[in-house]
Amino acid sequence: MAVLIVLLGPTGIGKTDISIQLAKKYNAPIVSSDSRQFYRELKIGTAAPTEKETKEVEHFFIGSHSILDNYNAGQYEEDAINLLDELFKKHNVVILVGGSMMYIDAVCNGLDEIPNVPTEIREFWQEEFKNKGLSHIQQELFRLDPKHYKEVDLKNPKRILHALEICLTTGNPYSDLRTGKKKKRNFEIIKIGLNKPRQELYEQINLRVDKMIEKGLMEEAKQYYPFKNLNTLNTVGYKELYAHFDGEITQQEAIDLIKKNTRNYAKRQLTWFNRDKEITWFHSKDEENIFQTIDFRLKDKK
RNA sequence: GGGCAGAUACCAAAGUGGCCAACUGGGGCUGACUGUAACUCAGCUGUCUUUCGACUUCGGAGGUUCGAAUCCUUCUCUGCCCA
C-alpha cells in the first residue's frame, strides 16, 4: 500500500531534520512542499536542506525551479502527483515535508481546474486597481461574478484581482470553476504536525534568522537584487533586505523585521493547519513518539 | 546641594477639567484564505460580560471640584543643567 507521510508545521520547527531521519528509516524519498525551497537561488533564506542532506536522501522539489519561473500551486499539484505516481512504483512510503499550507492541500486534496492567467490580463486588472481603486474592482467583480462577490473577502485586493483575472481569462464567472471538491488520491496519507510552545518557537525563529545572516543571507539577497520585484522574491528574508538596500530601513531594522515576519508567518501556518483535523500533532522534540506513531499507522495500513 | 523637565496600558507615545477605558504606532493575540499563498486580508489587545453594560485605571498619598489622566500640595523615581 502506498503511503504518503506528510510532515508539516510552522517554519523553523525542525521539519527537515526529522524528515531525513524518517526517510532513512523507511528508505523513502522526500518531496518538498515548501513553496520557496523550490527556487535554487534561495538557499540560505529558506533554510533549504544542505547539499549533504540532499545527497544522503533523495529529495525532490528542492532547487527544482528558478526565481524567474512562473510557478504556482496548481502546477505544483500536477507535477507533484505525477512524481508521486512514479515514486510509488518503487517505494511504499514517500515523505512530503514543508510548511506551505496551500501546496500541501494541493497534494492531499487537490485544487480545482483553473487555467493559467495570461500576463496581459493580470497586468490589466492590476492597472485598473492601481488607477481606480478598490471599490472599482469590487464593482467589476459584482458585475462579472456576483456569486463570488458575496463570498470573497472584499477588502482583500489580491483575492478580488484573482477572481477577475479568471473571469476575463475564461469568459465565465470564477465561481463556476470553484467546486471545492476533494480529489481521491491513490495513496494513503498520514499527516504529522510538529509544534512547540509559542515562545520557544519564536526564540528559535529569532536565532535562526541571526544564523542566516551569519551564513551570508545579505550576500545571497544582494545577488538577486535586480529581480526584487519578482513575486518569488516577495519572500520573508529577502523583501526586508531589499527595503534596506533601497535605503528605507537600517540593516538592524531589516533583520528585526525578518524575525517578526517569520514569526507572523509561523502563526498563519498554525492557523491554517488548525483547521485540518486529520493532523496528528507532536512536540517537535518528541521524536520517539513520532516514530512510534508512524510505525504503528504504517502497519495498520498494510 | 540648587534649577528645570518628566513619570499614561506589554513598549513607544498623544491627551492637559466633562465628548477618556483613554488618539496613534509597534509588539502580541485570534482569525480568513482553492492558485503570484513565506502572498494578501480582517478583528481583538484594562477586568468581568455573548451583547447591552458594569467595574477598576493614567508613579504614590492627600486635596480642590458637581466632575480630575488633566488643577493644587507633598512624597518617590528618572533625565538634563548649575554647583
Side-chain angles (χ1 to χ4, degrees), chain A residues 153-282:
Chain A
D153 175 1
L154 288 170
K155 288 182 182 166
N156 192 332
K158 285 247 168 145
R159 299 286 131 81
I160 297 178
L161 252 14
H162 178 245
L164 289 172
E165 287 172 353
I166 304 302
C167 292
L168 213 58
T169 302
T170 64
N172 290 306
Y174 172 48
S175 49
D176 285 2
L177 296 174
R178 285 165 59 87
T179 68
K181 268 186 199 141
K182 206 171 155 175
K183 286 180 197 159
K184 187 96 186 98
R185 298 304 190 196
N186 57 4
F187 47 83
E188 295 284 328
I189 294 173
I190 299 175
K191 284 183 187 169
I192 301 294
L194 262 34
N195 200 5
K196 59 161 59 177
R198 189 67 56 85
Q199 205 189 335
E200 289 172 39
L201 209 214
Y202 283 3
E203 279 164 16
Q204 199 163 314
I205 285 171
N206 294 159
L207 268 176
R208 190 170 78 157
V209 171
D210 287 331
K211 277 188 199 142
M212 285 177 180
I213 297 291
E214 278 170 37
K215 282 185 193 158
L217 181 58
M218 303 274 295
E219 291 68 29
E220 182 172 279
K222 204 167 275 171
Q223 259 186 287
Y224 308 108
Y225 179 70
F227 307 108
K228 65 172 179 163
N229 291 323
L230 290 174
N231 171 62
T232 43
L233 287 173
N234 184 198
T235 296
V236 176
Y238 299 87
K239 58 181 174 185
E240 299 85 353
L241 288 175
Y242 295 144
H244 166 55
F245 297 156
D246 288 337
E248 290 162 21
I249 53 177
T250 66
Q251 183 179 322
Q252 191 54 51
E253 282 169 340
I255 293 169
D256 290 342
L257 249 190
I258 293 173
K259 291 176 181 173
K260 190 207 79 174
N261 287 338
T262 307
R263 294 194 298 267
N264 293 167
Y265 173 52
K267 168 57 181 127
R268 266 179 277 134
Q269 290 174 298
L270 288 168
T271 298
W272 181 295
F273 293 142
N274 278 338
R275 277 194 306 193
D276 189 340
K277 300 304 171 206
E278 291 167 16
I279 300 171
T280 308
W281 288 96
F282 293 92

Side-chain angles (χ1 to χ4, degrees), chain A residues 70 117-138 140 144 156-166 168-169 229-232 234:
Chain A
N70 275 319
V117 176
T119 319
E120 314 85 70
I121 291 184
R122 174 152 294 168
E123 285 170 356
F124 169 75
W125 286 119
Q126 266 166 0
E127 282 300 301
E128 287 284 289
F129 174 49
K130 211 174 109 192
N131 298 329
K132 300 180 185 169
L134 182 63
S135 63
H136 176 254
I137 57 169
Q138 287 172 343
E140 287 296 285
L144 294 171
N156 192 332
K158 285 247 168 145
R159 299 286 131 81
I160 297 178
L161 252 14
H162 178 245
L164 289 172
E165 287 172 353
I166 304 302
L168 213 58
T169 302
N229 291 323
L230 290 174
N231 171 62
T232 43
N234 184 198

Side-chain angles (χ1 to χ4, degrees), chain A residues 40 56 78 104 112 137 141 148 160 216 218 224 257 272:
Chain A
R40 53 180 153 273
E56 262 184 317
E78 195 182 323
I104 297 170
D112 291 325
I137 57 169
L141 182 64
H148 195 61
I160 297 178
M218 303 274 295
Y224 308 108
L257 249 190
W272 181 295

